Amino acid sequence: MTIIDINTFNSLKESTDADFIKELIHTFLEDAPNQIEQMKVAIQNKDTESFTRAAHTVKSNAATFGATELANLARELESMGRENNLEIGNRLQVMEEAFHQVKNQLNELK
């Protein structure tokens, strides 16, 4: 299973320069754990708005790099937040694990 869709990643690479893509990756790898942490806090506070916003950010950023599975997991959580449903089971944990796989592959690609 590919964690990063290499076609998406390569077209991003072709449309930007190497320094910019490194900066994008760096920003994403710093930002995503913060978003995941915000989602955990939002669950505790029953704050569906913050939860949904953080999930949306992870989804959009993951999609930029072609991290399809991570984007899909975030999209599912975003939808649940929109429906005011924070009964997410272990989905956030699954998304966090997916992020770590994406992180490892992005570090190899940059």
Side-chain angles (χ1 to χ4, degrees), residues 55-106:
H56 175 80
T57 301
V58 173
K59 175 194 75 177
S60 302
N61 293 342
T64 301
F65 294 108
T68 317
E69 187 194 358
L70 179 59
N72 288 339
L73 291 164
R75 180 179 295 111
E76 184 185 5
L77 289 169
E78 180 187 14
S79 296
M80 292 177 80
R82 284 220 167 94
E83 293 160 6
N84 292 322
N85 175 9
L86 294 180
E87 299 298 315
I88 60 165
N90 71 338
R91 286 182 182 88
L92 187 52
Q93 190 182 341
V94 171
M95 188 181 91
E96 195 167 10
E97 287 162 11
F99 165 71
H100 289 293
Q101 293 177 321
V102 167
K103 177 181 177 177
N104 294 338
Q105 195 165 4
L106 282 175

Side-chain angles (χ1 to χ4, degrees), residues 2-44:
T2 9
I3 294 159
I4 304 281
D5 174 12
I6 212 67
N7 294 332
T8 305
F9 186 83
N10 285 338
S11 50
L12 177 68
K13 219 172 175 175
E14 286 161 21
S15 67
T16 61
D17 64 45
D19 287 341
F20 184 66
I21 201 160
K22 281 186 179 147
E23 196 177 310
L24 271 180
I25 290 171
H26 177 76
T27 303
F28 173 65
L29 295 182
E30 279 201 339
D31 186 54
N34 295 337
Q35 300 297 337
I36 291 168
E37 194 53 42
Q38 280 179 14
M39 291 170 76
K40 290 176 182 173
V41 170
I43 289 171
Q44 289 169 349

